[in-house]
Amino acid sequence: MEMDTRRRVTQLSPSGDIPSARYGHKMAYFGKSGVEKIYLFGGLEEDGEFSDETYSWDGSSWTLEETATVPDGRYGQTMVYDETANRL
């Protein structure tokens, strides 16, 4: 969903690698060097498994990211964007 300046909500139809239903995941905005994305990591999936997946959202589609290292699956963690180091 997105909200415009008139506070109207529009249902979106995302494409790509859509994340499974989960809770306790964390999301952080990454917006430097011409890249503006929201990243999602982890969470507890409906089947009770901890997710170790990282997804990015570019405003219209999801991408399951391949990362150099994969932290253990978890939920309730913290995730922040470090603007100085330009990393999550």
Side-chain angles (χ1 to χ4, degrees):
M1 288 188 202
E2 70 179 19
M3 186 184 305
D4 67 16
T5 57
R6 295 185 194 136
R7 297 185 181 217
R8 293 181 295 194
V9 176
T10 303
Q11 180 70 40
L12 300 177
S13 298
S15 61
D17 304 314
I18 299 172
S20 61
R22 63 190 69 207
Y23 71 93
H25 57 280
K26 295 303 175 201
M27 298 175 81
Y29 172 75
F30 183 96
K32 192 170 182 178
S33 303
V35 176
E36 292 190 35
K37 293 185 178 182
I38 295 174
Y39 285 85
L40 176 151
F41 173 75
L44 188 61
E45 298 178 298
E46 288 183 315
D47 62 5
E49 296 293 319
F50 296 108
S51 173
D52 63 358
E53 299 168 321
T54 300
Y55 288 88
S56 65
W57 168 253
D58 66 6
S60 61
S61 66
W62 286 100
T63 301
L64 178 59
E65 299 288 343
E66 292 186 28
T67 58
T69 59
V70 180
D72 291 336
R74 61 192 76 191
Y75 80 106
Q77 71 280 357
T78 300
M79 184 167 69
V80 297
Y81 169 57
D82 180 343
E83 186 174 5
T84 303
N86 194 32
R87 66 181 185 179
L88 291 175

